[in-house]
Amino acid sequence: MRRIVNITILLYVLFGVSMYIYFFTGSDIGIPVEYKGTSADPTTFMNARELVLSEEYSSVKNFLFFLGTPFEWIVLFLFMVLGVSSKFEQWAKAITSKRFVQFFIYFFYFSISMFLLIFPFRFVSYQLSKAYHISVQSFSSWMKDMTIDFWVNFIMMFVAMHVLLLLMKKSKRRWWIYAWCMTVPLTLFLTFVQPVLLDPLYHEFRPLQNKQLEERILEMAEKADIPANHVYEVNMSEKTTALNAYVTGIGSNSRIVLWDTTLEKLGENEVLFIMAHEMAHYVKKHIYWGIGLGLGVSLVGFFVVYKLVSFIQRRFGKMMRVEGKGSFAVIPLLLLLFSLFSFVISPFTNYVSRYEERQADTYAIEMTKDNESAVKAFQTLAKTGLNEVDPPMLVKIFRHTHPAIVERILFLESYDGKIDR
C-alpha cells in the first residue's frame, strides 16, 4: 500500500513539473506572425503592462487548473486505498442504525474533508484574481459564496448518491440505466429553476436599469421572435472587474442576463452585439441542444462507470476497500470515475460548445451588421479580464468552451455574409 501511495505521489509531482514547463517555458502564447498588427493583435489594444499581466495571469491560472484537477482524483483514490472512506462509514454506523442517517453522516464527513483538502487551490485562485485586480470581492463575501456552494452541492450530491447506492443495491446489472433515467427529469427541473432559485443565492438580479437600452434590446428580441419582457442585469461589480453575459433557464424561466460590469465598460452598440449573441442561443435552441447532448453523454458515462466499477470491485475491490455490496465506501470510486470520464470527454463537449458560439457570433453580426462594435467588444473583454487572445493548445482543448479571441475577432472583422458557416 505504501508503494502504491508513493508511486501515485511521484507521478503527480512529475505531472506537475511537466505542466510547469509547458505553461511557463514550453508554450508560446503569442499570436501567429500573420496576425501581427491586426485588430486581433493584443499589442494594438493593450499597453505593455497589460500584456505582461495577461501572460502571467493566464499561465498561472491554467497551471492551477491542470494541477488541481488530478489532485482531486488523487485525493479520491487515497480515500479508498488508505481506508479513509471505510473509516467514515464505520463512524457513521457506530452512531445510528438508520441507514439514511448513516449515509448522511458519512457523506458529511466525506464532503467536508474533500472541501478542506481542495480549499487551498480555490484560495490560491481567489488570491490570484485579487492580485491581478480581476476580483474585487472581499474575503468574507468570497467565503460566503464558498459556504453556499458547499451546502448547495452537498444537498444535491447527497440525494443523488443516496439514490444511486439504493439502485446499485437493488439491481446489480441495471442500476446505471435506472440512474440515467432519473437524471432526465432532474436535469430539466434544475435547468428550469436555476434562474429563480439557484442563481439568486449568489447574485442580485434586477431588470435592466437603462430603459432606453432595454427598449432597443427588446426591439431586437421582437425581430428575432423572442418572447422577452425584460433583460436582466446582475450586480457583479462588487465581486469582479471582468465582463460577461449569458442566457439561462428554459421555458417561461428563460433569462438573458448582463453583468453590470459589461454595461459599465462597453458602449451601447457593443452591448447590443453581445445581446444579439445571447439571443442567438435562444433562437438556435442551444440550451435544448445542450441538454440533449448532456443527457446523451451522461448515458454513455453511466454505462462506462458501471463497467469500470464492476471490473474494479471484482479485481481490486479488497485492495481499494470497495468490494462490499451497497457499501458507502464506493462513493469516492464513483466520483473519481465520473470525474475522469467528464475530463476525457471534455474535448468533444468543448468542441460542440465552440461550434455553437461561432453560430451565435454569426447570428449577432448578421443582426447588428456592426463589425467594428463586435471587434471592440472582444478587445475590451480580453483587456479587462486579462484573457489570453490565443491560448496554448492544451487549454483550447480541455478548457475553452468558446473559440479563442483571436479567432473571433478575425472572423467578425472580415465577416461580410458570404463566409460559409
Side-chain angles (χ1 to χ4, degrees):
M1 189 62 63
R2 187 180 298 113
R3 183 183 179 188
I4 292 174
V5 173
N6 289 338
I7 291 175
T8 301
I9 294 174
L10 176 61
L11 289 174
Y12 179 68
V13 171
L14 292 175
F15 174 79
V17 171
S18 66
M19 287 296 99
Y20 181 88
I21 293 172
Y22 179 78
F23 287 115
F24 293 99
T25 64
S27 63
D28 181 12
I29 63 173
I31 66 171
V33 176
E34 60 267 27
Y35 300 149
K36 296 287 186 180
T38 68
S39 56
D41 184 352
T43 61
T44 64
F45 56 87
M46 289 186 186
N47 60 41
R49 176 171 172 75
E50 289 169 337
L51 288 170
V52 172
L53 292 176
S54 174
E55 181 176 344
E56 292 176 351
Y57 178 65
S58 298
S59 296
V60 177
K61 183 175 61 175
N62 291 327
F63 177 65
L64 285 174
F65 170 80
F66 283 96
L67 209 61
T69 300
F71 178 80
E72 184 175 344
W73 299 339
I74 289 174
V75 170
L76 290 168
F77 177 72
L78 293 181
F79 267 32
M80 290 183 288
V81 299
L82 296 180
V84 177
S85 184
S86 297
K87 183 62 67 174
F88 287 161
E89 183 173 4
Q90 292 173 18
W91 291 346
K93 290 182 176 179
I95 295 174
T96 178
S97 60
K98 297 183 181 300
R99 185 175 174 84
F100 180 83
V101 181
Q102 287 175 350
F103 185 68
F104 182 91
I105 296 171
Y106 162 84
F107 200 68
F108 179 77
Y109 287 155
F110 172 79
S111 298
I112 198 68
S113 299
M114 289 294 298
F115 177 84
L116 293 174
L117 288 169
I118 297 171
F119 182 81
F121 281 94
R122 294 174 177 171
F123 180 71
V124 170
S125 295
Y126 163 71
Q127 291 286 44
L128 177 70
S129 61
K130 287 277 286 187
Y132 285 86
H133 305 291
I134 302 301
S135 173
V136 294
Q137 188 175 18
S138 67
F139 178 74
S140 59
S141 174
W142 179 76
M143 277 303 301
K144 178 184 175 182
D145 284 350
M146 289 293 99
T147 304
I148 293 172
D149 192 52
F150 170 80
W151 284 110
V152 170
N153 285 328
F154 174 79
I155 292 171
M156 291 195 297
M157 290 301 295
F158 165 73
V159 174
M161 290 295 104
H162 182 63
V163 171
L164 193 57
L165 281 182
L166 290 176
L167 292 174
M168 292 177 72
K169 191 175 182 180
K170 294 290 184 182
S171 179
K172 185 177 180 180
R173 296 183 180 277
R174 296 186 177 87
W175 64 263
W176 64 276
I177 189 66
Y178 297 146
W180 178 81
C181 289
M182 295 185 68
T183 66
V184 176
L186 181 62
T187 299
L188 294 173
F189 174 74
L190 289 177
T191 306
F192 182 77
V193 303
Q194 179 180 336
V196 294
L197 290 183
L198 299 181
D199 289 347
L201 293 175
Y202 301 90
H203 310 301
E204 176 188 346
F205 292 83
R206 62 184 180 181
L208 186 61
Q209 299 300 290
N210 186 335
K211 295 304 176 185
Q212 182 179 350
L213 177 59
E214 183 179 44
E215 184 178 345
R216 293 188 66 184
I217 293 172
L218 291 177
E219 287 177 359
M220 292 171 57
E222 185 178 359
K223 291 178 181 178
D225 294 325
I226 299 175
N229 297 318
H230 295 290
V231 177
Y232 291 88
E233 65 176 275
V234 57
N235 180 20
M236 290 297 296
S237 56
E238 62 182 17
K239 296 183 179 182
T240 183
T241 59
L243 313 183
N244 197 17
Y246 59 90
V247 59
T248 185
I250 55 175
S252 60
N253 276 4
S254 295
R255 284 186 176 182
I256 298 175
V257 180
L258 274 165
W259 287 9
D260 60 348
T261 52
T262 304
L263 295 166
E264 292 169 6
K265 297 178 181 179
L266 293 184
E268 189 167 297
N269 288 337
E270 294 154 23
V271 171
L272 290 175
F273 171 81
I274 296 295
M275 284 291 90
H277 173 97
E278 298 306 323
M279 290 177 188
H281 289 304
Y282 181 95
V283 173
K284 301 290 185 180
K285 295 181 171 51
H286 288 164
I287 293 178
Y288 297 98
W289 282 108
I291 292 172
L293 176 65
L295 291 174
V297 168
S298 68
L299 177 61
V300 177
F302 271 112
F303 177 73
V304 170
V305 169
Y306 156 70
K307 286 292 187 181
L308 289 175
V309 167
S310 300
F311 173 76
I312 291 170
Q313 285 185 320
R314 186 172 61 253
R315 294 289 300 273
F316 309 104
K318 187 175 182 179
M319 182 194 76
M320 298 180 69
R321 310 190 190 195
V322 292
E323 74 274 19
K325 182 179 179 182
S327 171
F328 300 162
V330 77
I331 293 297
L333 176 60
L334 289 170
L335 293 178
L336 172 60
L337 293 176
F338 278 121
S339 181
L340 283 168
F341 176 80
S342 178
F343 184 80
V344 169
I345 203 70
S346 63
F348 168 70
T349 56
N350 288 343
Y351 173 81
V352 173
S353 177
R354 290 194 296 270
Y355 174 78
E356 292 180 341
E357 292 298 329
R358 174 55 62 87
Q359 279 190 321
D361 283 345
T362 303
Y363 181 92
I365 198 64
E366 289 178 346
M367 173 175 276
T368 61
K369 295 179 171 43
D370 189 348
N371 303 62
E372 182 179 350
S373 294
V375 169
K376 180 65 175 176
F378 283 114
Q379 288 177 334
T380 306
L381 179 70
K383 182 184 176 78
T384 56
L386 297 180
N387 296 320
E388 31 189 5
V389 173
D390 192 25
M393 185 57 65
L394 271 182
V395 177
K396 290 181 182 179
I397 293 173
F398 287 101
R399 296 203 68 191
H400 274 214
T401 57
H402 292 60
I405 289 179
V406 63
E407 298 172 8
R408 303 180 84 172
I409 288 178
L410 292 172
F411 170 76
L412 292 167
E413 184 178 51
S414 61
Y415 187 79
D416 58 5
K418 299 179 181 178
I419 297 177
D420 185 11
R421 301 186 206 179

